[in-house]
Amino acid sequence: MASFRVMVSRVLLLVAALVSWPIHAQPDPNKVLRWAFEIAETGFDPPQTSDWYSAYVFANIFDTPLTYDYLARPVKLKPNVLEAMPDVSPDGLVYTLKFRKGIYFADDAAFNGQKRELVAADLAYSMKRLFDPKTRSPNLSYLDGKIAGMEKVRQRQRDSGVFDYDMPVEGFELVDRYTLRIKLVAPDYNFLYILAYNGACAIVAREVVEKYATDIMAHPVGTGPYKLESWKRSSKTVLVANPGFRQEYWEAEPNVDDAKGQEIAKKMRGKRLPMIGRIEFYVIEETQPRWLSFRNMQHDYIDRVHPDFINQAYPNNKLAKDLEKLGVQVSRTAAMEVTYAYFAMENPVVGGYTPDKVALRRAIGMGYNAPEEIAINRKGQAVAVHTPIGPGAFGYEPDFRSRATEYDPAAARALLDVFGYKDRDGDGYRENPDGSRLEILMSSTPTLRDRQLDEGWKKSMEAIGIRISFPKAQWPDLLKESLAGKLMSWRLAWGAVYPDADAFYLMLFGPNAGQANHARFKNDEFDRLYLKARMTPPGEERLAMYRQMNRIFLSLAPWRLGVARMDTDLTHAWMIGYQRHPTLRGVWKMVDMDLDVQRKVRKE
């Protein structure tokens, strides 16, 4: 009898425990997140893409070894599919990564009906893909020259025409099924950040790449929280929750003084990820339809409210009363980015390193009315940048100023006169020193935003006597042309993938020409300092190198620096837990929706 009572007691305790445990709901298919891109995506194979819009999609499909704490500021790395942070050797050359067991790729025909577990070899293969010439990766610069032994593989490819993925590489040692040892050529104090960057270390399966070959951009298969359901290029992309996603629960460590972050953590902690069942991305290039889609509650989120509508959304840096009544929420941060217009250094008109060509580029820079861009085009929602380093990154100095980045049209005209750029025929436009026609071709997209920026550039250049025109094409097409070195000039924005000046200066590192270095800028002293800085711990010595690099950049003027924008994101009242992260793109697994609130607000 006693033993029976004990058994009953244990059963009751077990039932009580089960009742008290939280029930972790699976993603709700009725929770559908809808929002719009202002520029079309290019595709969803991470090593082949470098644009933000593609990354907003595939960062939710693929995993990287490391990720970031969602709410910690300054940003903080943490393990993602690893058991713990990598073990780093004392000399900074060897990183040992131990992968968690039981993580699986989403089901796909490439696996012939079998469950496919993520293993250490997958990361080695994924990183090798950046070196394969067939991939044409714009992200190779993040790994180029870093992995011990990879140059031998590249040399064999150059000799044979075949990139051998199975050739043993010193830098990728498979210790066992779940352990990869990565050896670097030299210490790199940003390498841990690279392991969190989707463009370089998103983990793909070899079977998928080989099955879909040239169509791999349309067949992303990862281990992440979502998978691709459909893709209508430049129109609509749909993700659905990955039913095989591992058991993972919401956690983050907001700062103690971060009231909003603490509130989010209180609501979200312990929820199983992801919570939203479906994400629909639309491409709406024009600003007014994009704004109205959010304002009319057709979309749940608007990414970076366009300056044309900032006064309707956030007048005087405060949420508009009508939006406040609807419960609209704001996430507002200074972007860790720079915008810039590059000049192709191999172009016969604007390129080269002779005094006359440097003078032309510097005059264009001084002649461009950046303050007017901030006031009119950006509606005050941006700050001028005076170095190629975005706010918040190590090496950014907010008080630095230089005449090279100031608006001074009188000085620009004088510089052009001195170096022989004069109006010889009286038509109001200057010619080259040899008397030939001078015309700047600054490529641009057909969007309203770019058309407005075109007008500012045209007005500025005409004020100093320079003819400028704006060849038009869609953004993905311009990207291909730019990487091939076929554009004279183009305006771009670059957001850091890790919080260090290195993430910006790589765009000026000579060997990265044709990748991140769109201008194809080359300077031996700059390149020497860049490599040395990578091997120097963060501190004053490294900062001094960054300052020297900036002086070289400003003196040779391969870019006209622009601005760093204020990112003002809005979510409707039913969205729970959204907060923009400075570098992380795959945030949607951390966000939830309240359908009851959604129905209530829409009725009102």
Side-chain angles (χ1 to χ4, degrees), residues 368-386:
Y368 178 63
N369 194 340
E372 186 174 89
E373 175 188 331
I374 293 172
I376 296 177
N377 299 92
R378 309 290 181 184
K379 303 297 189 292
Q381 303 301 303
V383 295
V385 290
H386 300 277

Side-chain angles (χ1 to χ4, degrees), residues 335-379:
M336 193 183 294
E337 66 162 14
V338 295
T339 66
Y340 64 100
Y342 79 76
F343 305 107
M345 299 298 283
E346 296 173 356
N347 182 274
V349 177
V350 296
Y353 299 86
T354 56
D356 59 320
K357 298 299 185 181
V358 173
L360 174 61
R361 294 192 299 270
R362 294 188 69 167
I364 291 172
M366 289 189 290
Y368 178 63
N369 194 340
E372 186 174 89
E373 175 188 331
I374 293 172
I376 296 177
N377 299 92
R378 309 290 181 184
K379 303 297 189 292

